[in-house]
Amino acid sequence: MTLATLAMLAPRLAHEFPVADAAGPEWAAWILWLPALSTVLCGMCAALRVRNKLPAWITVSLLSGSFILTAMLFAGYEQPVTIHLVDWFGITWSDTTFVANFAFYVDRLTLLWMLFVTGLGTLIALYAGEYMEGDVGAGYSRFFAGISVFLFAMTALVMADNLLMLYLGWEGVGFASYWLIGYYYRKPSAVAAAKKAFIVNRIGDLGLALAVYLTWHAFGTVQYAELFAAVQANDFSAEAGGWSVQAIPFLLMLAAFGKSAQLPLYVWLPDAMEGPTPVSALIHAATMVTAGVFLLCRMFPLMVLNELALPVVAWVGGLTALFAASIAMAQHDIKRIFAYSTISQLGYMFLGVGLFTTAGAAYHVFTHAFFKAVLFLTAGAVMHGFAGQIDLRKVSGLRHMPGWRVTSYTMLYACMCLAGVPLVTNGFWSKDAIMAEAFAAVGPGYTALAIIALVTALLTAYYTFRVWFRVCAGPVHYEPGLEQHGDAAGGAFHPRPPRLVINLVLLTISAGAVASIFCAEWINGMIEGSTAAGGLPAVHEAHEGAGVWSDPHAWMPYVAGAVGLVGIAIAWYLHLANRTAADDLKRALQGNVVSAWLPRAMENKWYVDELYHGLIRAPLWLLGHILNLLDRYVLDMVIVDGVARIPRMLGRGFQPLANGVLQSYAVSMVGGVALIAILVFVMPEFLEMLNGWIGGAR
């Protein structure tokens, strides 16, 4: 697909989606208000010092209500609608009007996202009720209040009727993420991770704020219905139709890269694993991090206004996928491995958007939400049961231990999905659409991009099953983490297998992953009836009359399946059949002068954090201290305090004259009279003489 083709496609794409011009049911407002109510009630539980699981049951009940209402709205859907909630901004000055109401814009894209946001949100909150039971009390209420705030903000983001409300939800999910990453606020690493996530996301948020302003400046509105109608009509302000319209796609792209952790703004997501595991599953795997993909799908009619925007999205997505996968291969913390995996899979989603297969990207968002939630939740079950142990080198043989079979085999199926095991996993089908389109598309370097996507699939299969073969297979062995608990008799450590609720949630989400295998055509229909319409479908038919090898969509299932199986086979040999082989390979690489840097660089995440520290953080720290010294010793001490010292010094100079001694006052009076006499009689003659000298010199 050439740049000229992209330019020609833009008008066609802008006309291939319906715009909401009808009102929807008022009861749908409770999809938003129920999480808000949950926040208030959890806050009351904290204020009243409730020391039971009431906050969890409140949150689960109200979030399930939100999911049921979303399902009802989906069941009754006929056409895009707007649902007015509250008058918000309605400002008029001169001939200009700015309107942004608290309202919903409901099309198929809205419903697709809300179904898994509310559905998985409810299930993960149910899981958290058991997982977080050690914090029952003030911390327990605070945690579920944070989950409720997040669901409120995510609902506002996805269902927003306008860009300003979307921005409110965008900032809200960022705030909730900061809140929940720093949940263990007495732990310095958690506090640092929360600040890192908050600060890095400010960069993307600035891009979104500027995009909102330029959109209003160019199109005269931020309301979706009016905006998309204007895009279809190619109706924008003449004076704003130059650079500003061309800049909007790149600003939206910057916002998406920040929230969805793409190069170079991905560095906050791995550190976000400092938060409780349910937070990792809900916010940093299944929902919030897909907000960037949602933004580009929602604003797809604007993204095609610049012919360079989508190729940039594709390249950033592809490079992020490969880069994050290479880091995941060398990590030992299970949650961090899955975090880098999330970054990598988000790269695939952006690659799909950039290649015009918005349906393929959305399908991978949908499937990824299920299997990645399972991976994080099973990692959390291991961490919870082994006293905080999360190092894959220190837990083994999980599937042979009583009470751990549900965890082991749900993790196995989720690993199969992530690795793309052929036919029986949702990840195989959703990634297939994106990788096939990478080979089929014609664009700037897309062949290299397609090869990158295929290599990434190989690495993904390897590092995914590296985790499972190490943790769940092999001989039984475990070392407890730092949160050890002992029995009353002798203090020996005993793992705590997950109980009914956690196992039920794992099985339910795994069943959803299985069901999503059959959802490709449904996803195509959901995207086609939305603002992301016009992209290529998630499932392609082979071209008529073409041989198998001439159509990437025909041969990709075989190639992708084989690549995934090769990656699994390598992981099986290195981490199960011969566990010492992986260490031997590492030692061999480190012993070779040419390759010694490679394992060290991968383990240290290619030193990107150090690069950020050297180029940005340290210079800003130094500049801050220099400015602090200037403020303290130049501005304050010399200028402000120095000026203030002048009258004080003069006062001290005359202070001896006011000592209370009569003779001193008499001397002062005589001196004053003498000074006045000199000024009156002598000074004029002196000035006249001086003037004469100056005149004579001239």
Side-chain angles (χ1 to χ4, degrees):
M1 189 175 295
T2 64
L3 297 181
T5 305
L6 289 176
M8 290 187 295
L9 278 174
R12 179 180 70 82
L13 291 170
H15 282 84
E16 289 194 355
F17 61 90
V19 175
D21 58 359
E26 294 183 1
W27 52 260
W30 285 99
I31 297 173
L32 181 68
W33 300 138
L34 287 177
L37 178 60
S38 176
T39 303
V40 173
L41 294 178
C42 288
M44 292 177 62
C45 288
L48 297 173
R49 301 182 183 277
V50 172
R51 301 193 63 81
N52 54 40
K53 291 187 176 182
L54 181 60
W57 294 116
I58 289 172
T59 304
V60 171
S61 300
L62 294 178
L63 294 188
S64 62
S66 188
F67 170 70
I68 292 169
L69 291 176
T70 302
M72 291 171 58
L73 191 61
F74 169 71
Y77 179 83
E78 295 179 355
Q79 62 177 343
V81 296
T82 57
I83 303 171
H84 186 272
L85 276 65
V86 179
D87 288 337
W88 194 20
F89 283 90
I91 305 171
T92 301
W93 68 98
S94 300
D95 297 329
T96 305
T97 301
F98 178 83
V99 176
N101 290 319
F102 229 72
F104 291 163
Y105 184 93
V106 181
D107 64 356
R108 293 187 185 277
L109 183 67
T110 305
L111 293 171
L112 172 63
W113 243 264
M114 284 305 298
L115 283 170
F116 71 78
V117 166
T118 56
L120 287 174
T122 301
L123 289 171
I124 293 171
L126 181 63
Y127 171 101
E130 179 178 320
Y131 184 89
M132 301 295 295
E133 61 188 2
D135 286 11
V136 166
Y140 199 74
S141 300
R142 177 165 54 87
F143 174 83
F144 283 98
I147 292 291
S148 302
V149 167
F150 167 75
L151 264 298
F152 173 83
M154 192 70 189
T155 300
L157 188 159
V158 173
M159 301 195 74
D161 167 69
N162 57 79
L163 283 170
L164 197 62
M165 184 174 172
L166 179 142
Y167 186 78
L168 174 71
W170 191 272
E171 293 292 340
V173 295
F175 167 70
S177 177
Y178 169 78
W179 177 340
L180 292 167
I181 294 171
Y183 173 78
Y184 299 114
Y185 58 87
R186 291 187 176 89
K187 188 178 178 184
S189 58
V191 174
K195 290 191 292 185
K196 186 176 184 179
F198 192 81
I199 293 169
V200 173
N201 270 274
R202 294 312 93 205
I203 301 170
D205 295 353
L206 175 61
L208 181 57
L210 293 174
V212 172
Y213 169 73
L214 289 181
T215 300
W216 176 76
H217 180 59
F219 295 95
T221 183
V222 294
Q223 301 281 119
Y224 288 161
E226 298 174 5
L227 173 61
F228 296 141
V231 172
Q232 291 185 94
N234 201 28
D235 179 19
F236 49 79
S237 170
E239 63 271 14
W243 68 269
S244 59
V245 170
Q246 298 299 308
I248 290 171
F250 286 96
L251 292 171
L252 293 172
M253 191 191 309
L254 177 63
F257 292 164
K259 194 67 73 183
S260 293
Q262 297 295 285
L263 285 171
L265 303 178
Y266 74 93
V267 291
W268 66 271
L269 184 56
D271 289 5
M273 298 304 105
E274 291 289 343
T277 298
V279 174
S280 304
L282 176 64
I283 297 182
H284 305 126
T287 54
M288 186 192 90
V289 290
T290 67
V293 184
F294 173 82
L295 177 67
L296 298 192
C297 288
R298 172 60 79 207
M299 295 289 114
F300 199 66
L302 275 69
M303 293 299 299
V304 298
L305 294 178
N306 189 313
E307 62 185 19
L308 294 176
L310 290 176
V312 172
V313 170
W315 268 101
V316 170
L319 292 175
T320 302
L322 177 63
F323 188 77
S326 69
I327 296 175
M329 292 173 62
Q331 303 306 302
H332 304 295
D333 183 310
I334 301 173
K335 284 179 65 177
R336 285 183 180 268
I337 292 172
F338 292 154
Y340 281 107
S341 169
T342 298
I343 297 169
S344 182
Q345 297 307 301
L346 287 165
Y348 273 111
M349 299 168 201
F350 279 96
L351 176 60
V353 173
L355 295 172
F356 270 69
T357 178
T358 48
Y363 187 29
H364 198 49
V365 168
F366 190 74
T367 60
H368 177 267
F370 287 96
F371 66 71
K372 188 54 65 66
V374 172
L375 288 174
F376 271 112
L377 295 179
T378 51
V382 173
M383 189 175 181
H384 188 255
F386 288 88
Q389 184 59 265
I390 203 69
D391 191 324
L392 58 78
R393 297 168 296 184
K394 298 180 180 180
V395 179
S396 177
L398 204 65
R399 69 189 183 95
H400 301 299
M401 300 171 61
W404 289 97
R405 288 181 175 81
V406 171
T407 300
S408 299
Y409 290 109
T410 52
M411 180 187 280
L412 173 61
Y413 184 70
C415 287
M416 291 169 63
C417 292
L418 178 55
V421 172
L423 303 178
V424 296
T425 62
N426 58 8
F428 169 75
W429 295 107
S430 58
K431 276 197 294 187
D432 169 74
I434 297 171
M435 290 193 294
E437 191 54 39
F439 278 97
V442 178
Y446 280 9
T447 301
L449 198 55
I451 295 171
I452 287 173
L454 205 56
V455 171
T456 302
L458 174 67
L459 303 184
T460 301
Y462 166 77
Y463 71 68
T464 302
F465 271 86
R466 170 176 173 254
V467 173
W468 196 83
F469 287 138
R470 284 280 177 180
V471 174
C472 297
V476 175
H477 168 76
Y478 54 84
E479 300 174 27
L482 300 177
E483 305 165 6
Q484 290 194 37
H485 54 88
D487 59 19
F493 175 80
H494 298 286
R496 295 176 293 184
R499 302 197 303 274
L500 176 64
V501 171
I502 288 181
N503 286 335
L504 179 62
V505 170
L506 292 175
L507 290 170
T508 303
I509 301 179
S510 298
V514 174
S516 65
I517 294 173
F518 309 100
C519 290
E521 293 293 348
W522 175 68
I523 297 287
N524 287 341
M526 297 294 282
I527 293 299
E528 194 60 29
S530 74
T531 58
L536 300 167
V539 175
H540 297 257
E541 299 292 336
H543 298 308
E544 291 187 17
V548 170
W549 299 108
S550 63
D551 179 14
H553 296 289
W555 55 258
M556 181 53 67
Y558 303 101
V559 174
V563 164
L565 293 176
V566 169
I568 294 172
I570 295 172
W572 171 81
Y573 177 75
L574 293 177
H575 300 286
L576 183 60
N578 184 7
R579 286 193 167 182
T580 61
D583 294 329
D584 293 340
L585 176 61
K586 182 178 177 181
R587 280 193 293 269
L589 290 172
Q590 290 176 333
N592 190 307
V593 177
V594 177
S595 61
W597 62 274
L598 183 60
R600 188 178 302 110
M602 291 169 64
E603 279 191 32
N604 287 281
K605 301 163 285 187
W606 298 107
Y607 299 101
V608 172
D609 284 318
E610 288 78 4
L611 188 64
Y612 265 101
H613 181 83
L615 295 180
I616 299 174
R617 187 178 176 187
L620 288 176
W621 180 89
L622 180 61
L623 178 62
H625 280 71
I626 291 172
L627 293 176
N628 178 58
L629 292 174
L630 288 173
D631 178 68
R632 181 180 301 177
Y633 295 108
V634 177
L635 292 178
D636 285 349
M637 184 177 292
V638 176
I639 298 177
V640 178
D641 293 343
V643 172
R645 286 192 185 98
I646 293 174
R648 187 184 305 171
M649 292 169 64
L650 290 174
R652 287 179 179 172
F654 288 102
Q655 185 176 1
L657 300 178
N659 55 12
V661 178
L662 184 61
Q663 295 90 329
S664 296
Y665 291 157
V667 172
S668 298
M669 291 175 65
V670 171
V673 170
L675 181 61
I676 292 172
I678 291 171
L679 291 174
V680 172
F681 297 109
V682 178
M683 187 60 68
E685 294 182 5
F686 174 76
L687 292 175
E688 186 177 352
M689 184 185 304
L690 181 63
N691 190 33
W693 289 345
I694 295 173
R698 288 177 180 176

